[in-house]
Amino acid sequence: MSASEPTPEPTPTSEPTAASTPAGAFDLLYERHVTPLLRQTFLLTGDWRAAERSVTHAFRRAWERWPEVAVDRDPGGWVRAAAHDHALAPWHRFLPRRRMPEGGGAPEHGPPSEGARDDDRELLEALLSLPPSYRRTLLLHDGLGLGLPETAAESEASTPATAGRLMHAREALAEYVPELSRVAPKPRREMIRSLLEGLVAARPVPEAPPARTVRDGGEHLARRRTGAALGLTALVAAATVAAAVTGPEGHAPREGTPTVSVHSPGREAVDAGADD
């Protein structure tokens, strides 16, 4: 460059975008996936409150483990798997089931559902009558379009087992929608996807809490878990000290009783047990 040429102006640095910060990237992920995940978990549970609990739990876990989730090849899939796991956890069977209102629609506690038809209600009940693993397989493969290997991996099952679950789930739904048994596999997949989309389309999705609220909740739970872990550690340490002071017989040595060295032969095993 010659001396007569003007010096180029320095290129202004671009301002940081929302996604350039951990909180901003999390918020974008949340806004993009929260509503579809609410619909999915409703199809797994038939309960909007359970769906909201599961999705909120999944996003809180994602924020708590954000360094891991942020570099995952599919962060949305990570949160989806966590939400589905929580929605289908075995302990949910001990919670009271919400009664489905007459004429279709969402359970009584959920938002009003105008336009839900009786056949939609029957189809939802048929879906919910499937074993949880069948329900999840049908949703992932036919509803979301995942391949059979990907569906098997996310549901933590072998590919042959997943194929069997899918076959039985389709057969069960065909009892309520006879057309399913008269079409080829590919059109059947598209038909089931349309049916599942129709089940949630007639039901208003409850408003999700803001991403900031979910992040704050995740941080609060993380602090509580850390405090509980520290409290348990302190309790164990106190019990260990008490055991060491009182001795193996469970009481403090009497005054004037000769003590035994920790290196005395034959007492090392006893002393080690007291320390434990």
Side-chain angles (χ1 to χ4, degrees), residues 7-205:
T7 303
E9 294 289 334
T11 303
T13 58
S14 59
E15 296 183 359
T17 61
S20 64
T21 65
F26 173 87
D27 291 357
L28 289 177
L29 179 72
Y30 181 84
E31 292 167 4
R32 184 177 303 165
H33 292 280
V34 64
T35 298
L37 282 177
L38 283 170
R39 293 191 176 108
Q40 293 168 31
T41 49
F42 171 76
L43 291 174
L44 293 177
T45 63
D47 187 324
W48 282 117
R49 285 184 180 174
E52 186 175 353
R53 283 196 303 266
S54 298
V55 172
T56 300
H57 168 83
F59 276 107
R60 283 175 176 172
R61 292 289 290 167
W63 178 240
E64 184 180 346
R65 303 172 64 175
W66 186 248
E68 171 191 341
V69 177
V71 298
D72 191 272
R73 63 182 182 86
D74 182 13
W78 192 101
V79 180
R80 179 182 64 230
H84 291 186
D85 284 343
H86 188 271
L88 297 177
W91 55 264
H92 281 297
R93 72 185 64 176
F94 300 107
L95 296 178
R97 292 291 300 171
R98 268 69 174 185
R99 183 176 63 85
M100 296 294 294
E102 295 296 330
E108 290 180 336
H109 64 273
S113 187
E114 299 178 0
R117 302 172 301 178
D118 288 343
D119 52 353
D120 286 339
R121 178 174 177 268
E122 292 177 359
L123 182 61
L124 179 60
E125 290 177 345
L127 181 66
L128 296 176
S129 69
L130 295 173
S133 59
Y134 290 22
R135 224 178 300 155
R136 186 177 193 174
T137 298
L138 189 75
L139 175 64
L140 291 175
H141 187 271
D142 289 354
L144 303 185
L146 271 64
L148 199 59
E150 292 77 15
T151 300
E154 185 159 327
S155 55
E156 298 181 342
S158 66
T159 302
T162 302
R165 292 172 181 176
L166 182 63
M167 180 186 68
H168 290 303
R170 287 172 168 177
E171 290 175 350
L173 288 189
E175 296 181 7
Y176 295 85
V177 187
E179 293 82 358
L180 289 174
S181 60
R182 297 194 289 265
V183 296
K186 187 173 182 180
R188 184 187 304 131
R189 184 177 186 178
E190 294 299 323
M191 185 180 296
I192 291 175
R193 179 176 183 176
S194 178
L195 289 170
L196 296 180
E197 290 177 347
L199 285 178
V200 292
R203 295 170 168 82
V205 182

Side-chain angles (χ1 to χ4, degrees), residues 247-259:
E249 280 77 25
H251 55 79
R254 291 176 297 178
E255 184 178 355
T257 302
T259 57

